[in-house]
Amino acid sequence: MRILYALSDRYGSQVQYIRFLQNAPPNSIIKVAGYASKCNLINLDWNLDALKDAIDLKTVSLKNENVSIYASQIESFRPDLIISDLELITSYIAIAHKIPLWQVSPLLFYYATTNEIKSELNSRRRFSYIFKPHLKAKDFIHYAITNSSKNLIYSYFGDAHDFPISSNFEWVRPYFYSANQSKAAEHHCCATLLTNNKSHLNKIKDQEDTVLFSSFENENYSNIKIKNISNTSEYIINLKNSNYVACSAYTDFMADCFYNKKFANLFVDFDDIECVVNYLCAEHLNVGKAIMNALSNQSIDPKVNSKIKFFDQHLVE
């Protein structure tokens, strides 16, 4: 199977893609398009940064030379399927050229759930600024969703709670890592950060015996031992055995916490819609909270809905 995977303009999208690659069907030929400004862990086949201003949100048309070049290159690749993390330019090209299209994204939760749930989570009032770009593009997003063969909500929320969703959406379980108990991997705090955001680092700098998994392992901070986030086996055994866990509010890191029965102390990027929605839902479900002062390690008891599949199980159906 030839697959084009289109990342959206968020740091968390690359983590979702990396875990998909680790579980993709054998013999798949996969190429990836995304935004290099938000991809510090992977190399892209197509960088879409230059296309950010190419979308006409009102008429859902793409009249741009660079977009036309991108579309012709997609045609040359001849994908059997385009997987989109709600990436609108690639989605439009897929629809225009009649290429099978699936949306697989944590962002779909916002469009799948009811207005009552949105109101309960208080998302529109408290964080209206983060949703304005999406509301502006609502016709374009609706066009992408309604013309996709599948709309898979990539989130542990489907296991954590029986949220009502529209009939044209399905839950898909995010890929997560797991580990056993190990005395050698015990720490006071295990943390995960994709970028060296100083305000986030300041929230854990005074925590004793902290190990941080990141993409900036060559930097030095007192009280914090920094390791490469790509070392997933070391990362997850430290997460499993630490007293406290702090992580960026991206779906995959929060899934690691949830399925390993760890309360998620969250570094929330309040300009990232994925982080904001995940943070609001985690507090609503009492499985995580934004780091303000002290860390929490309250117990959680994750449930698993047997009807929910992993993404690759949909591909082999």
Side-chain angles (χ1 to χ4, degrees):
M1 176 179 279
R2 302 171 70 85
I3 297 172
L4 170 59
Y5 198 116
L7 311 183
S8 62
D9 192 16
R10 313 182 327 274
Y11 280 108
S13 193
Q14 64 178 329
V15 182
Q16 179 180 322
Y17 170 69
I18 289 169
R19 298 196 182 192
F20 166 71
L21 275 186
Q22 294 167 345
N23 295 274
N27 302 319
S28 298
I29 300 172
I30 302 170
K31 290 195 173 185
V32 58
Y35 297 82
S37 57
K38 297 294 175 63
C39 291
N40 57 349
L41 300 177
I42 64 172
N43 295 316
L44 299 169
D45 294 295
W46 287 284
N47 178 12
L48 305 182
D49 277 324
L51 306 183
K52 285 183 182 180
D53 298 325
I55 304 174
D56 185 336
L57 299 175
K58 293 183 179 179
T59 61
V60 195
S61 65
L62 301 172
K63 297 179 180 179
N64 178 282
E65 182 179 358
N66 289 335
V67 174
S68 297
I69 293 171
Y70 176 41
S72 66
Q73 291 175 348
I74 290 176
E75 282 195 290
S76 296
F77 175 53
R78 297 180 291 106
D80 300 300
L81 174 66
I82 289 180
I83 299 167
S84 164
D85 186 354
L86 211 59
E87 202 295 300
L88 298 179
I89 297 174
T90 311
S91 295
Y92 180 82
I93 292 170
I95 296 164
H97 291 275
K98 296 182 171 54
I99 303 170
L101 173 66
W102 290 9
Q103 303 294 335
V104 184
S105 177
L107 302 185
L108 289 173
F109 174 72
Y110 183 75
Y111 304 99
T113 194
T114 63
N115 288 331
E116 288 77 12
I117 293 296
K118 292 176 186 175
S119 177
E120 186 176 349
L121 295 174
N122 210 13
S123 58
R124 289 183 183 271
R125 181 168 62 85
R126 288 172 61 193
F127 298 100
S128 59
Y129 67 92
I130 197 72
F131 295 101
K132 281 182 180 178
H134 285 254
L135 292 173
K136 185 179 179 182
K138 65 179 181 180
D139 291 340
F140 206 158
I141 294 170
H142 177 74
Y143 178 76
I145 289 173
T146 55
N147 285 280
S148 295
S149 301
K150 284 183 179 286
N151 292 292
L152 302 176
I153 309 169
Y154 185 87
S155 176
Y156 69 91
F157 297 156
D159 281 327
H161 185 73
D162 187 23
F163 283 111
I165 57 173
S166 300
S167 59
N168 57 326
F169 295 86
E170 296 178 66
W171 294 106
V172 64
R173 184 171 295 116
Y175 296 112
F176 62 91
Y177 303 125
S178 58
N180 297 320
Q181 299 293 333
S182 171
K183 192 77 176 174
E186 290 181 358
H187 295 281
H188 175 73
C189 177
C190 176
T192 312
L193 270 176
L194 287 184
T195 63
N196 59 345
N197 184 309
K198 296 300 188 289
S199 66
H200 291 337
L201 286 165
N202 286 338
K203 293 173 181 177
I204 59 170
K205 68 178 182 179
D206 295 327
Q207 298 291 327
E208 60 185 56
D209 185 25
T210 293
V211 57
L212 170 65
F213 288 86
S214 72
S215 60
F216 49 95
E217 61 178 322
N218 293 326
E219 297 189 21
N220 294 309
Y221 297 91
S222 58
N223 294 341
I224 302 176
K225 185 175 183 179
I226 303 180
K227 297 188 176 185
N228 193 321
I229 197 170
S230 299
N231 189 338
T232 56
S233 59
E234 188 173 13
Y235 151 66
I236 197 60
I237 199 168
N238 278 269
L239 179 147
K240 179 74 173 182
N241 291 280
S242 292
N243 294 328
Y244 298 89
V245 176
C247 68
S248 300
Y250 299 122
T251 301
D252 293 278
F253 298 146
M254 293 180 69
D256 291 335
C257 293
F258 179 76
Y259 294 107
N260 284 280
K261 301 182 179 181
K262 292 290 186 177
F263 188 86
N265 295 276
L266 300 173
F267 303 115
V268 184
D269 292 323
F270 288 102
D271 59 350
D272 186 312
I273 189 171
E274 178 185 0
C275 289
V276 170
V277 171
N278 281 344
Y279 147 65
L280 290 170
C281 287
E283 287 204 337
H284 175 74
L285 299 170
N286 203 28
V287 296
K289 68 177 183 65
I291 302 172
M292 297 300 180
N293 297 304
L295 300 181
S296 175
N297 66 348
Q298 64 194 69
S299 62
I300 65 171
D301 184 22
K303 302 292 191 295
V304 174
N305 183 338
S306 61
K307 295 181 181 179
I308 297 175
K309 303 173 184 177
F310 289 103
F311 179 28
D312 58 294
Q313 293 174 297
H314 286 267
L315 285 171
V316 297
E317 287 179 340

